[in-house]
Amino acid sequence: MAAFCLAEALKESGCNQTVRVIDETSFHLDRNESYANMPAEKNLRGVLRSEVDRSVSKDSIIIVDSLNSIKGYRYELWCLARAAGIRYCVLYCDADETHCRKWNDERREKGEGAYSDKIFEDLIRRFETPDRRNRWDSPLFELWPHKEGIENTSAAIVDAISYLTKKADSKSRDVKTLQPTIATQNTRFSEANSLYELDRATQEVINAIVEAQSQALGGPLNGVSVGQGLPLINISRAVGLPELRRLRRTFIKLTGQTSLSGPPPPSDAENAKRMFVDYLNRELETA
């Protein structure tokens, strides 16, 4: 609700930046499954963080509509904003446990998405309240939905919009645009290059499969080559373009998630193709 009101109010304000909301719903993620255990929760945060990283720019305002309940995760989002050289703020819906429990029960009674009692208790226990003294929680704009409701004209939303859209100059001491460091700039350049190579290489693999199937005229394939020294793609059945595109999207998403806690995505086309071919051979064998 707060994210929706903020997005609508930003559009009504006449700001010339693109406004986008990134949330669990965007990826069709179930809230109970996403918070069922720590690996699932880590995966959820990874998916959202990767999408934010791809989307942040000086021409857009990104609203991350999620629990964002862990201060370490808010710090990660703050680092993304700093690396992009943009403004950052936190809009905090301050509601006590009693009202949160009531709203969750009401959603369950209406058949809407609600947390199970076990997960609700766990989230309440682990919640880390934003603190404006932390740079990753500042500036902090607070909403009190159980007292004032949430409207486009709520004071916190109006203040947040003013902060995000106010023209900054040498006299604007109350507006802070985060400045990237040399380290974050180099990291983002490296990640951007890796994502470009990954995107290009996987598309070339898809094109090779489509071309090979076209030449086979529906007959069997003994293996599709995508380059010298690379493994063959083993295809025992016809694989349509929609399925290939779905597999490609999933592979790119999984590779991006893995890079959050492990090695970065491949920075050259040959390694990217080898990884994608291995992935396709596993998936098509079990399909």
Side-chain angles (χ1 to χ4, degrees), residues 92-104 120 124 127 143-147:
Y92 171 40
C93 291
D94 189 351
D96 59 42
E97 179 181 341
T98 302
H99 286 91
C100 290
R101 191 182 303 279
K102 177 183 176 183
W103 293 330
N104 192 59
F120 181 88
I124 288 289
F127 180 74
L143 278 168
W144 292 276
H146 61 288
K147 296 178 181 178

Side-chain angles (χ1 to χ4, degrees), residues 263-278:
S267 57
D268 63 277
E270 184 171 331
N271 280 330
K273 286 181 180 180
R274 179 175 285 104
M275 288 175 62
F276 188 40
V277 169
D278 290 342

Side-chain angles (χ1 to χ4, degrees), residues 9-30:
L10 278 165
K11 295 171 184 176
E12 292 169 1
S13 71
C15 75
N16 54 9
Q17 294 167 290
T18 302
V19 179
R20 183 187 173 194
V21 177
I22 294 177
D23 57 8
E24 289 96 334
T25 306
S26 306
F27 300 94
H28 308 289
L29 297 170
D30 179 84

Side-chain angles (χ1 to χ4, degrees), residues 84-185:
I86 59 175
R87 299 180 197 181
Y88 169 95
C89 69
V90 174
L91 181 63
Y92 171 40
C93 291
D94 189 351
D96 59 42
E97 179 181 341
T98 302
H99 286 91
C100 290
R101 191 182 303 279
K102 177 183 176 183
W103 293 330
N104 192 59
D105 291 341
E106 289 175 350
R107 291 179 64 86
R108 185 184 297 134
E109 291 170 1
K110 294 177 182 178
E112 301 175 350
Y115 296 106
S116 68
D117 291 337
K118 179 181 178 181
I119 290 177
F120 181 88
E121 297 295 341
D122 180 57
L123 292 174
I124 288 289
R125 178 180 58 82
R126 294 190 293 111
F127 180 74
E128 296 177 327
T129 305
D131 184 343
R132 65 180 74 254
R133 292 172 296 182
N134 298 326
R135 53 185 174 171
W136 56 85
D137 289 334
S138 177
L140 181 66
F141 303 103
E142 297 181 72
L143 278 168
W144 292 276
H146 61 288
K147 296 178 181 178
E148 306 170 352
I150 301 176
E151 304 290 343
N152 294 21
T153 55
S154 295
I157 290 178
V158 171
D159 290 343
I161 291 172
S162 175
Y163 181 83
L164 292 170
T165 61
K166 184 177 182 180
K167 186 177 180 180
D169 53 36
S170 58
K171 299 179 181 179
S172 303
R173 297 185 180 275
D174 58 334
V175 174
K176 183 179 181 181
T177 299
L178 301 178
Q179 298 300 320
T181 63
I182 293 177
T184 56
Q185 285 180 314

